[in-house]
């Protein structure tokens, strides 16, 4: 009896520990919220690929969408080659491996994307991808928001999993997935999908890159001084800035206002040190919407009187004008940010930071 009581009490206290700001599906208007990785959100299946939408056009006032795609590997492209005329699409590898191709202005590139790698697909770039490992998860940020409507249109079925499994294990021979037929993809122009069916992605990869001379994962990556050039940033090979307050923050931008141009967003990662026990944390209020997705460690976000604990794949959405604090009690916490506008957390931190050559912070306080 006693052990039963203990079990019940433990389960109840775990349930109550989850803040009411955690939702199962993104809200239909902007508000402060968080969503756990693989939560039973409005997920849909396109072939064997499961698409989830932690931030939608509706939940961000049309500023940006944040997507997750979980799938097994495939012997075919995950989508037929296409362009967007209006949307800036950003690919990030959270888990496993995939190949990403971009083609624009006679420059054709392919990269093998492993965890932490980023690829920029500005408007009018022909692109496609192929999922490789038994379990890969791509995180997509797309500006402006609302692009998820395409996946609701393409869905073969709604996806539910009582266990929150990333995707449904099956020996389906239709592992090609997402590879909508050429007839369907040609009819998607109202979703800003412009098929490029005569594009054939290059396969001459060496050391994870085609062409082989890109220095992928061996030399540093810079961000272009342009809002229309596709590019890639390998994990920890991009620009880095060290910000020092009561804790250290390393900002690694993927997209700054110079690359986003009229799309008016920023994206990148922030790595933070453990909060010292005597530290005071300043609060932040930003003019426009911001989402964080945790990549490693544990991120604590305080807002609306709630304290949220977020681990890998969990997303928190902080609307513009909402006061919040963020910090970590874990030794090495890293999160992806996507922000609307130009007065964003990353730009504020970079303005007060120094350029830095490392993905880790110093061993002592200044
Ligand atoms: C993208 O391509 C379309 C169709 O060719 C064109 O109308 C549009 O101006 C292009 N957009 C940009 C940003 O170049
Ligand atoms: C998914 O569920 C929604 C209702 O929530 C329904 O309108 C839609 O048709 C379903 N999609 C598929 C592909 O079954
Ligand atoms: C898939 O095939 C393997 C090998 O034939 C088998 O062991 C496994 O049970 C199958 N899995 C499913 C989900 O059908
Ligand atoms: C591939 O990587 C290996 C190991 O770093 C290197 O020796 C080799 O030169 C690279 N090949 C090309 C074509 O860059
Ligand atoms: C916190 O304590 C450390 C070690 O005692 C000290 O060096 C540091 O200045 C303190 N920081 C603050 C903000 O009080
Ligand atoms: C960019 O976003 C900011 C903040 O939302 C807004 O004030 C500004 O008007 C936007 N600029 C453009 C060019 O859309």
């Amino acid at each position: 009896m006693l052990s039963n009581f203990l079990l019940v009490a433990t389960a109840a206290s775990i349930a109550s520990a989850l803040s009411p700001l955690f939702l199962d599906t993104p809200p239909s208007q902007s508000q402060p919220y968080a969503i756990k990785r693989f939560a039973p959100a409005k997920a849909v299946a396109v072939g064997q690929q499961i698409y989830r939408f932690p931030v939608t056009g509706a939940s961000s006032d049309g500023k940006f969408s944040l997507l997750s795609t979980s799938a097994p590997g495939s012997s075919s492209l995950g989508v037929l080659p296409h362009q967007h005329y209006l949307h800036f699409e950003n690919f990030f590898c959270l888990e496993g491996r995939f190949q990403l191709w971009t083609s624009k202005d006679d420059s054709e590139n392919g990269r093998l994307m492993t965890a932490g790698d980023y690829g920029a697909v500005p408007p009018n770039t022909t692109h496609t991808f192929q999922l490789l490992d038994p379990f890969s998860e791509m995180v997509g940020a797309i500006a402006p928001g609302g692009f998820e409507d395409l996946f609701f249109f393409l869905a073969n079925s709604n996806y539910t999993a009582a266990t929150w499994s990333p995707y449904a294990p099956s020996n389906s021979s239709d592992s090609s997935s997402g590879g909508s037929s050429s007839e369907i993809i040609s009819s998607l122009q109202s979703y800003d999908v412009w098929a490029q069916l005569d594009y054939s992605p290059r396969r001459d990869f060496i050391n994870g890159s085609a062409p082989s001379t890109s220095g992928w994962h061996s030399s540093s990556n810079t961000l272009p001084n342009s809002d229309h050039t596709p590019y890639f940033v390998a994990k920890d090979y991009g620009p880095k800035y060290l910000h020092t307050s009561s804790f250290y923050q390393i900002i690694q931008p993927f997209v700054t206002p110079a690359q986003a141009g009229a799309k008016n967003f920023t994206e990148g990662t922030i790595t933070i040190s453990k909060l010292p026990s005597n530290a005071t944390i300043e609060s932040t209020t930003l003019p426009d919407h911001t989402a964080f997705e945790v990549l490693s460690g544990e991120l604590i976000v305080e807002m609306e009187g709630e304290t949220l604990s977020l681990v890998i794949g969990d997303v928190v959405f902080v609307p513009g004008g909402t006061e919040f604090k963020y910090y970590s009690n874990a030794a090495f916490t890293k999160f992806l940010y996507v922000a609307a506008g130009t007065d964003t957390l990353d730009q504020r931190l970079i303005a007060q930071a120094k350029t830095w050559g490392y993905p880790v912070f110093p061993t002592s306080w200044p």
Side-chain angles (χ1 to χ4, degrees), residues 33-49:
Y33 72 92
I35 197 155
K36 302 288 292 177
R37 190 186 193 186
F38 307 134
K42 284 199 292 189
V44 295
V46 179
Q48 282 192 296
Q49 300 171 5

Side-chain angles (χ1 to χ4, degrees), residues 49 51 76-82 127-129 176-180 185:
Q49 300 171 5
Y51 284 82
S76 331
L77 296 179
V79 65
L80 291 174
H82 62 281
H127 61 284
T128 187
F129 62 82
S176 60
S177 66
S180 321
I185 201 164

